[in-house]
Amino acid sequence: MSKSKTPKEKTESPPPVAADTTQKPGPVVNEKERKKQAFVVRTIWTLVMIFGMFFIICAGHFWTIMFVLMLQVLVFKECISITSERAKNEDLKYTGYLNWYLLITTIAYLEGKSLITYTINFLIDSNYPTALAMKFIIHQKFISYCSYVLAFVFFVSTLKKGSLKFQFAQLCITHMILLLVIFQGHCIVNNILHGMIWFLLPVGLVITNDIFAYICGITFGKTQLISISPKKTVEGFVGAWICTTFASIVLTYYLCNFNYFICPIENYNDLQVNCLTGVSCEPNPVFIHQLYKIPADLARLIDREYIQLKPIYLHAMILSLFASLIAPFGGFFASGLKRAFKVKDFGDTIPGHGGVTDRMDCQFLMGSFSYLYYETFISTHHLNIGNLLQTIVINLSGPDILILVKSLHTYLYKIGIISEDVYVQLVNLLS
């Protein structure tokens, strides 16, 4: 029995749909438009950073120090993040915690001295358990060191076969970042305590050098300076050096005319000052006009034997020399590090500018040099018992010395050096 074949049904294709001519095309972003948008974003955030920094500086030394500490943490975070990606892949979950623990112990060790200096008066005058607080502060270096030793023990206990090379390399990188970032930041904090000018002048010189290196580079630049930064030119480098030298005179002239910028922080109460409160101090000799003898040949030429000048101008020119010739290598170092890990920026914390590290790479090196330069050639603070007693007798009145003695008695009583009976007798005697 033969089967009849059923003819195939003809499948009709749907009629073509007419194109929707009413639909608007999407926005076309070309290279020119992209650069324009990037320029706008970069300009806006540049203004935000400038005015934000001025606001923090005017708020006072305490908030400026907090700002520097925050920058340290952000830079540390960015540098660690680009070097520890492999830890996630190898299930080394404790690596990140260890890095942050080392950061905390390092800051505690370095900033402990400042904590002792600027909170001791507060603890003496307060009703807090001063004896315990004093013991903690006095032994803070030992406590910080013990905390670091615990981190070392924890690191050894978490070593994992197959990842040993990476773990030891990561530990070395962490310590290098702590040295290059946290130690340098500690120097910058001390610069602020020496006087706001020792913070603002180095920062301003680096910013000025960076700006003029860009301007001179795009205007005259032809010769490449260093291979890891192809856009850096010899002409921009030299032009920025000359412009930064002149800028150092202008910045110094402005800053050294305000007590708020030149007065150091000497006690806890000074940390509470801001640009609107009155500040007074005996200025460092570098801010006072002095006579300098002019070389004989030049003296005959200008018909003058002596010139009156504030020494700070000469120091500022030396700082500008470092800011122009040495500090940029901090930026070159950062460029090399980014190329080593094949990243464009350290992060995207600041829109249009990349990460905080991309803006601070030269500042930390400049800050440490400024600190060491100040301590070596400018500082006049060499404290011992003789100098301290002489300073008290010469500069304090009788009632002020009496207040000092009472405060010392209170401190000795609270830390247990003198008994309560002796303390009461001393109070009655001095009343």
Side-chain angles (χ1 to χ4, degrees), residues 124-152:
I124 291 173
D125 296 333
S126 68
N127 293 322
Y128 291 95
T130 308
L132 180 62
M134 285 294 183
K135 288 181 180 179
F136 176 80
I137 293 176
I138 291 172
H139 298 98
Q140 61 83 210
K141 284 194 174 182
F142 180 76
I143 294 172
S144 299
Y145 175 76
C146 290
S147 301
Y148 174 82
V149 171
L150 288 177
F152 178 79

PDB file of all heavy atoms in Angstrom, residues 124-152:
ATOM      1  N   ILE A 124      47.494  66.388  82.130  1.00  0.00           N
ATOM      2  CA  ILE A 124      47.772  66.895  83.474  1.00  0.00           C
ATOM      3  C   ILE A 124      46.576  67.657  84.029  1.00  0.00           C
ATOM      4  O   ILE A 124      46.199  67.523  85.190  1.00  0.00           O
ATOM      5  CB  ILE A 124      49.027  67.791  83.463  1.00  0.00           C
ATOM      6  CG1 ILE A 124      50.275  66.937  83.206  1.00  0.00           C
ATOM      7  CG2 ILE A 124      49.175  68.545  84.774  1.00  0.00           C
ATOM      8  CD1 ILE A 124      51.523  67.749  83.017  1.00  0.00           C
ATOM      9  N   ASP A 125      45.964  68.465  83.178  1.00  0.00           N
ATOM     10  CA  ASP A 125      44.874  69.329  83.624  1.00  0.00           C
ATOM     11  C   ASP A 125      43.510  68.649  83.623  1.00  0.00           C
ATOM     12  O   ASP A 125      42.537  69.213  84.105  1.00  0.00           O
ATOM     13  CB  ASP A 125      44.797  70.574  82.730  1.00  0.00           C
ATOM     14  CG  ASP A 125      46.050  71.423  82.845  1.00  0.00           C
ATOM     15  OD1 ASP A 125      46.693  71.359  83.914  1.00  0.00           O
ATOM     16  OD2 ASP A 125      46.382  72.124  81.865  1.00  0.00           O
ATOM     17  N   SER A 126      43.411  67.446  83.054  1.00  0.00           N
ATOM     18  CA  SER A 126      42.102  66.801  82.930  1.00  0.00           C
ATOM     19  C   SER A 126      41.836  65.880  84.105  1.00  0.00           C
ATOM     20  O   SER A 126      42.694  65.652  84.968  1.00  0.00           O
ATOM     21  CB  SER A 126      42.044  65.990  81.633  1.00  0.00           C
ATOM     22  OG  SER A 126      42.923  64.884  81.716  1.00  0.00           O
ATOM     23  N   ASN A 127      40.634  65.336  84.147  1.00  0.00           N
ATOM     24  CA  ASN A 127      40.231  64.397  85.190  1.00  0.00           C
ATOM     25  C   ASN A 127      40.290  62.951  84.717  1.00  0.00           C
ATOM     26  O   ASN A 127      39.717  62.066  85.337  1.00  0.00           O
ATOM     27  CB  ASN A 127      38.803  64.715  85.660  1.00  0.00           C
ATOM     28  CG  ASN A 127      38.740  66.054  86.366  1.00  0.00           C
ATOM     29  OD1 ASN A 127      39.651  66.412  87.112  1.00  0.00           O
ATOM     30  ND2 ASN A 127      37.677  66.808  86.124  1.00  0.00           N
ATOM     31  N   TYR A 128      40.959  62.716  83.593  1.00  0.00           N
ATOM     32  CA  TYR A 128      41.075  61.369  83.073  1.00  0.00           C
ATOM     33  C   TYR A 128      42.091  60.572  83.900  1.00  0.00           C
ATOM     34  O   TYR A 128      42.874  61.167  84.655  1.00  0.00           O
ATOM     35  CB  TYR A 128      41.508  61.393  81.605  1.00  0.00           C
ATOM     36  CG  TYR A 128      40.450  61.932  80.681  1.00  0.00           C
ATOM     37  CD1 TYR A 128      40.443  63.271  80.302  1.00  0.00           C
ATOM     38  CD2 TYR A 128      39.433  61.106  80.223  1.00  0.00           C
ATOM     39  CE1 TYR A 128      39.451  63.771  79.461  1.00  0.00           C
ATOM     40  CE2 TYR A 128      38.440  61.594  79.385  1.00  0.00           C
ATOM     41  CZ  TYR A 128      38.454  62.925  79.014  1.00  0.00           C
ATOM     42  OH  TYR A 128      37.480  63.414  78.207  1.00  0.00           O
ATOM     43  N   PRO A 129      42.067  59.245  83.807  1.00  0.00           N
ATOM     44  CA  PRO A 129      43.070  58.440  84.539  1.00  0.00           C
ATOM     45  C   PRO A 129      44.462  58.716  84.001  1.00  0.00           C
ATOM     46  O   PRO A 129      45.012  57.987  83.190  1.00  0.00           O
ATOM     47  CB  PRO A 129      42.627  56.993  84.269  1.00  0.00           C
ATOM     48  CG  PRO A 129      41.823  57.059  83.011  1.00  0.00           C
ATOM     49  CD  PRO A 129      41.139  58.402  83.039  1.00  0.00           C
ATOM     50  N   THR A 130      45.042  59.837  84.456  1.00  0.00           N
ATOM     51  CA  THR A 130      46.278  60.353  83.877  1.00  0.00           C
ATOM     52  C   THR A 130      47.445  59.399  84.026  1.00  0.00           C
ATOM     53  O   THR A 130      48.254  59.259  83.121  1.00  0.00           O
ATOM     54  CB  THR A 130      46.624  61.705  84.519  1.00  0.00           C
ATOM     55  OG1 THR A 130      45.489  62.546  84.430  1.00  0.00           O
ATOM     56  CG2 THR A 130      47.793  62.354  83.822  1.00  0.00           C
ATOM     57  N   ALA A 131      47.574  58.748  85.175  1.00  0.00           N
ATOM     58  CA  ALA A 131      48.725  57.879  85.406  1.00  0.00           C
ATOM     59  C   ALA A 131      48.781  56.770  84.369  1.00  0.00           C
ATOM     60  O   ALA A 131      49.831  56.505  83.775  1.00  0.00           O
ATOM     61  CB  ALA A 131      48.647  57.290  86.808  1.00  0.00           C
ATOM     62  N   LEU A 132      47.631  56.150  84.103  1.00  0.00           N
ATOM     63  CA  LEU A 132      47.596  55.084  83.107  1.00  0.00           C
ATOM     64  C   LEU A 132      47.875  55.625  81.712  1.00  0.00           C
ATOM     65  O   LEU A 132      48.632  55.042  80.933  1.00  0.00           O
ATOM     66  CB  LEU A 132      46.223  54.394  83.144  1.00  0.00           C
ATOM     67  CG  LEU A 132      46.020  53.249  82.145  1.00  0.00           C
ATOM     68  CD1 LEU A 132      47.010  52.134  82.425  1.00  0.00           C
ATOM     69  CD2 LEU A 132      44.587  52.729  82.219  1.00  0.00           C
ATOM     70  N   ALA A 133      47.268  56.785  81.397  1.00  0.00           N
ATOM     71  CA  ALA A 133      47.476  57.388  80.077  1.00  0.00           C
ATOM     72  C   ALA A 133      48.936  57.777  79.887  1.00  0.00           C
ATOM     73  O   ALA A 133      49.513  57.588  78.811  1.00  0.00           O
ATOM     74  CB  ALA A 133      46.571  58.600  79.909  1.00  0.00           C
ATOM     75  N   MET A 134      49.545  58.329  80.925  1.00  0.00           N
ATOM     76  CA  MET A 134      50.946  58.737  80.844  1.00  0.00           C
ATOM     77  C   MET A 134      51.860  57.535  80.604  1.00  0.00           C
ATOM     78  O   MET A 134      52.775  57.585  79.791  1.00  0.00           O
ATOM     79  CB  MET A 134      51.359  59.455  82.127  1.00  0.00           C
ATOM     80  CG  MET A 134      50.821  60.861  82.246  1.00  0.00           C
ATOM     81  SD  MET A 134      51.535  61.945  80.978  1.00  0.00           S
ATOM     82  CE  MET A 134      50.779  63.494  81.432  1.00  0.00           C
ATOM     83  N   LYS A 135      51.585  56.447  81.317  1.00  0.00           N
ATOM     84  CA  LYS A 135      52.425  55.258  81.141  1.00  0.00           C
ATOM     85  C   LYS A 135      52.301  54.718  79.724  1.00  0.00           C
ATOM     86  O   LYS A 135      53.281  54.275  79.122  1.00  0.00           O
ATOM     87  CB  LYS A 135      52.021  54.191  82.151  1.00  0.00           C
ATOM     88  CG  LYS A 135      52.441  54.528  83.582  1.00  0.00           C
ATOM     89  CD  LYS A 135      52.033  53.430  84.548  1.00  0.00           C
ATOM     90  CE  LYS A 135      52.453  53.795  85.970  1.00  0.00           C
ATOM     91  NZ  LYS A 135      52.038  52.760  86.947  1.00  0.00           N
ATOM     92  N   PHE A 136      51.084  54.764  79.194  1.00  0.00           N
ATOM     93  CA  PHE A 136      50.883  54.283  77.827  1.00  0.00           C
ATOM     94  C   PHE A 136      51.647  55.151  76.836  1.00  0.00           C
ATOM     95  O   PHE A 136      52.301  54.640  75.917  1.00  0.00           O
ATOM     96  CB  PHE A 136      49.393  54.289  77.491  1.00  0.00           C
ATOM     97  CG  PHE A 136      49.105  53.891  76.074  1.00  0.00           C
ATOM     98  CD1 PHE A 136      49.094  52.552  75.709  1.00  0.00           C
ATOM     99  CD2 PHE A 136      48.863  54.851  75.104  1.00  0.00           C
ATOM    100  CE1 PHE A 136      48.840  52.177  74.399  1.00  0.00           C
ATOM    101  CE2 PHE A 136      48.614  54.484  73.792  1.00  0.00           C
ATOM    102  CZ  PHE A 136      48.598  53.143  73.439  1.00  0.00           C
ATOM    103  N   ILE A 137      51.579  56.477  77.012  1.00  0.00           N
ATOM    104  CA  ILE A 137      52.233  57.391  76.078  1.00  0.00           C
ATOM    105  C   ILE A 137      53.749  57.288  76.191  1.00  0.00           C
ATOM    106  O   ILE A 137      54.470  57.255  75.196  1.00  0.00           O
ATOM    107  CB  ILE A 137      51.761  58.835  76.324  1.00  0.00           C
ATOM    108  CG1 ILE A 137      50.287  58.958  75.947  1.00  0.00           C
ATOM    109  CG2 ILE A 137      52.588  59.828  75.534  1.00  0.00           C
ATOM    110  CD1 ILE A 137      49.698  60.317  76.246  1.00  0.00           C
ATOM    111  N   ILE A 138      54.248  57.226  77.411  1.00  0.00           N
ATOM    112  CA  ILE A 138      55.690  57.188  77.623  1.00  0.00           C
ATOM    113  C   ILE A 138      56.297  55.916  77.009  1.00  0.00           C
ATOM    114  O   ILE A 138      57.406  55.936  76.473  1.00  0.00           O
ATOM    115  CB  ILE A 138      56.009  57.280  79.124  1.00  0.00           C
ATOM    116  CG1 ILE A 138      55.657  58.676  79.639  1.00  0.00           C
ATOM    117  CG2 ILE A 138      57.476  56.979  79.389  1.00  0.00           C
ATOM    118  CD1 ILE A 138      55.761  58.818  81.136  1.00  0.00           C
ATOM    119  N   HIS A 139      55.541  54.820  77.081  1.00  0.00           N
ATOM    120  CA  HIS A 139      56.055  53.553  76.570  1.00  0.00           C
ATOM    121  C   HIS A 139      55.506  53.227  75.182  1.00  0.00           C
ATOM    122  O   HIS A 139      55.523  52.060  74.771  1.00  0.00           O
ATOM    123  CB  HIS A 139      55.703  52.411  77.539  1.00  0.00           C
ATOM    124  CG  HIS A 139      56.306  52.569  78.898  1.00  0.00           C
ATOM    125  ND1 HIS A 139      55.614  53.093  79.962  1.00  0.00           N
ATOM    126  CD2 HIS A 139      57.557  52.298  79.356  1.00  0.00           C
ATOM    127  CE1 HIS A 139      56.387  53.111  81.032  1.00  0.00           C
ATOM    128  NE2 HIS A 139      57.580  52.632  80.691  1.00  0.00           N
ATOM    129  N   GLN A 140      55.039  54.231  74.465  1.00  0.00           N
ATOM    130  CA  GLN A 140      54.388  53.966  73.187  1.00  0.00           C
ATOM    131  C   GLN A 140      55.320  53.331  72.160  1.00  0.00           C
ATOM    132  O   GLN A 140      54.906  52.491  71.367  1.00  0.00           O
ATOM    133  CB  GLN A 140      53.757  55.227  72.621  1.00  0.00           C
ATOM    134  CG  GLN A 140      54.694  56.386  72.311  1.00  0.00           C
ATOM    135  CD  GLN A 140      55.373  56.277  70.963  1.00  0.00           C
ATOM    136  OE1 GLN A 140      56.478  56.741  70.776  1.00  0.00           O
ATOM    137  NE2 GLN A 140      54.707  55.667  70.012  1.00  0.00           N
ATOM    138  N   LYS A 141      56.608  53.672  72.174  1.00  0.00           N
ATOM    139  CA  LYS A 141      57.535  53.077  71.216  1.00  0.00           C
ATOM    140  C   LYS A 141      57.715  51.591  71.475  1.00  0.00           C
ATOM    141  O   LYS A 141      57.734  50.776  70.544  1.00  0.00           O
ATOM    142  CB  LYS A 141      58.883  53.793  71.256  1.00  0.00           C
ATOM    143  CG  LYS A 141      58.874  55.140  70.568  1.00  0.00           C
ATOM    144  CD  LYS A 141      60.288  55.656  70.338  1.00  0.00           C
ATOM    145  CE  LYS A 141      60.256  56.936  69.509  1.00  0.00           C
ATOM    146  NZ  LYS A 141      61.618  57.436  69.221  1.00  0.00           N
ATOM    147  N   PHE A 142      57.812  51.243  72.756  1.00  0.00           N
ATOM    148  CA  PHE A 142      57.954  49.828  73.091  1.00  0.00           C
ATOM    149  C   PHE A 142      56.688  49.063  72.724  1.00  0.00           C
ATOM    150  O   PHE A 142      56.759  47.954  72.167  1.00  0.00           O
ATOM    151  CB  PHE A 142      58.249  49.677  74.584  1.00  0.00           C
ATOM    152  CG  PHE A 142      58.420  48.251  75.025  1.00  0.00           C
ATOM    153  CD1 PHE A 142      59.592  47.568  74.753  1.00  0.00           C
ATOM    154  CD2 PHE A 142      57.392  47.587  75.688  1.00  0.00           C
ATOM    155  CE1 PHE A 142      59.746  46.240  75.155  1.00  0.00           C
ATOM    156  CE2 PHE A 142      57.540  46.273  76.088  1.00  0.00           C
ATOM    157  CZ  PHE A 142      58.720  45.592  75.813  1.00  0.00           C
ATOM    158  N   ILE A 143      55.527  49.671  72.993  1.00  0.00           N
ATOM    159  CA  ILE A 143      54.255  49.026  72.658  1.00  0.00           C
ATOM    160  C   ILE A 143      54.126  48.862  71.143  1.00  0.00           C
ATOM    161  O   ILE A 143      53.691  47.815  70.648  1.00  0.00           O
ATOM    162  CB  ILE A 143      53.076  49.846  73.228  1.00  0.00           C
ATOM    163  CG1 ILE A 143      53.117  49.826  74.754  1.00  0.00           C
ATOM    164  CG2 ILE A 143      51.740  49.298  72.734  1.00  0.00           C
ATOM    165  CD1 ILE A 143      52.122  50.765  75.407  1.00  0.00           C
ATOM    166  N   SER A 144      54.509  49.888  70.396  1.00  0.00           N
ATOM    167  CA  SER A 144      54.429  49.822  68.940  1.00  0.00           C
ATOM    168  C   SER A 144      55.370  48.753  68.388  1.00  0.00           C
ATOM    169  O   SER A 144      55.020  48.018  67.456  1.00  0.00           O
ATOM    170  CB  SER A 144      54.774  51.182  68.324  1.00  0.00           C
ATOM    171  OG  SER A 144      53.873  52.170  68.763  1.00  0.00           O
ATOM    172  N   TYR A 145      56.567  48.663  68.985  1.00  0.00           N
ATOM    173  CA  TYR A 145      57.518  47.644  68.527  1.00  0.00           C
ATOM    174  C   TYR A 145      56.981  46.238  68.793  1.00  0.00           C
ATOM    175  O   TYR A 145      57.079  45.348  67.935  1.00  0.00           O
ATOM    176  CB  TYR A 145      58.865  47.825  69.227  1.00  0.00           C
ATOM    177  CG  TYR A 145      59.850  46.734  68.890  1.00  0.00           C
ATOM    178  CD1 TYR A 145      60.501  46.717  67.664  1.00  0.00           C
ATOM    179  CD2 TYR A 145      60.106  45.706  69.795  1.00  0.00           C
ATOM    180  CE1 TYR A 145      61.396  45.701  67.347  1.00  0.00           C
ATOM    181  CE2 TYR A 145      60.990  44.680  69.487  1.00  0.00           C
ATOM    182  CZ  TYR A 145      61.634  44.691  68.262  1.00  0.00           C
ATOM    183  OH  TYR A 145      62.506  43.673  67.944  1.00  0.00           O
ATOM    184  N   CYS A 146      56.412  46.028  69.982  1.00  0.00           N
ATOM    185  CA  CYS A 146      55.836  44.711  70.298  1.00  0.00           C
ATOM    186  C   CYS A 146      54.703  44.378  69.330  1.00  0.00           C
ATOM    187  O   CYS A 146      54.546  43.216  68.925  1.00  0.00           O
ATOM    188  CB  CYS A 146      55.327  44.700  71.737  1.00  0.00           C
ATOM    189  SG  CYS A 146      56.646  44.731  72.969  1.00  0.00           S
ATOM    190  N   SER A 147      53.926  45.385  68.957  1.00  0.00           N
ATOM    191  CA  SER A 147      52.847  45.164  67.989  1.00  0.00           C
ATOM    192  C   SER A 147      53.420  44.739  66.650  1.00  0.00           C
ATOM    193  O   SER A 147      52.865  43.863  65.964  1.00  0.00           O
ATOM    194  CB  SER A 147      52.017  46.440  67.828  1.00  0.00           C
ATOM    195  OG  SER A 147      51.453  46.837  69.061  1.00  0.00           O
ATOM    196  N   TYR A 148      54.536  45.343  66.255  1.00  0.00           N
ATOM    197  CA  TYR A 148      55.179  44.960  64.994  1.00  0.00           C
ATOM    198  C   TYR A 148      55.703  43.527  65.066  1.00  0.00           C
ATOM    199  O   TYR A 148      55.586  42.758  64.099  1.00  0.00           O
ATOM    200  CB  TYR A 148      56.323  45.918  64.677  1.00  0.00           C
ATOM    201  CG  TYR A 148      57.121  45.494  63.473  1.00  0.00           C
ATOM    202  CD1 TYR A 148      56.685  45.792  62.190  1.00  0.00           C
ATOM    203  CD2 TYR A 148      58.315  44.775  63.619  1.00  0.00           C
ATOM    204  CE1 TYR A 148      57.402  45.387  61.082  1.00  0.00           C
ATOM    205  CE2 TYR A 148      59.037  44.368  62.522  1.00  0.00           C
ATOM    206  CZ  TYR A 148      58.584  44.679  61.249  1.00  0.00           C
ATOM    207  OH  TYR A 148      59.289  44.259  60.149  1.00  0.00           O
ATOM    208  N   VAL A 149      56.276  43.150  66.204  1.00  0.00           N
ATOM    209  CA  VAL A 149      56.784  41.788  66.367  1.00  0.00           C
ATOM    210  C   VAL A 149      55.656  40.771  66.224  1.00  0.00           C
ATOM    211  O   VAL A 149      55.830  39.704  65.626  1.00  0.00           O
ATOM    212  CB  VAL A 149      57.499  41.639  67.723  1.00  0.00           C
ATOM    213  CG1 VAL A 149      57.835  40.180  68.003  1.00  0.00           C
ATOM    214  CG2 VAL A 149      58.776  42.473  67.739  1.00  0.00           C
ATOM    215  N   LEU A 150      54.488  41.107  66.749  1.00  0.00           N
ATOM    216  CA  LEU A 150      53.335  40.215  66.599  1.00  0.00           C
ATOM    217  C   LEU A 150      52.984  40.042  65.117  1.00  0.00           C
ATOM    218  O   LEU A 150      52.611  38.945  64.682  1.00  0.00           O
ATOM    219  CB  LEU A 150      52.133  40.781  67.366  1.00  0.00           C
ATOM    220  CG  LEU A 150      52.212  40.711  68.894  1.00  0.00           C
ATOM    221  CD1 LEU A 150      50.990  41.384  69.516  1.00  0.00           C
ATOM    222  CD2 LEU A 150      52.328  39.269  69.363  1.00  0.00           C
ATOM    223  N   ALA A 151      53.093  41.128  64.350  1.00  0.00           N
ATOM    224  CA  ALA A 151      52.834  41.041  62.910  1.00  0.00           C
ATOM    225  C   ALA A 151      53.853  40.125  62.240  1.00  0.00           C
ATOM    226  O   ALA A 151      53.509  39.344  61.329  1.00  0.00           O
ATOM    227  CB  ALA A 151      52.871  42.431  62.288  1.00  0.00           C
ATOM    228  N   PHE A 152      55.101  40.217  62.670  1.00  0.00           N
ATOM    229  CA  PHE A 152      56.151  39.368  62.103  1.00  0.00           C
ATOM    230  C   PHE A 152      55.859  37.888  62.396  1.00  0.00           C
ATOM    231  O   PHE A 152      55.968  37.033  61.507  1.00  0.00           O
ATOM    232  CB  PHE A 152      57.501  39.771  62.694  1.00  0.00           C
ATOM    233  CG  PHE A 152      58.656  38.936  62.224  1.00  0.00           C
ATOM    234  CD1 PHE A 152      59.238  39.156  60.992  1.00  0.00           C
ATOM    235  CD2 PHE A 152      59.154  37.914  63.020  1.00  0.00           C
ATOM    236  CE1 PHE A 152      60.300  38.382  60.549  1.00  0.00           C
ATOM    237  CE2 PHE A 152      60.213  37.134  62.585  1.00  0.00           C
ATOM    238  CZ  PHE A 152      60.789  37.371  61.351  1.00  0.00           C
TER     239      PHE A 152
END
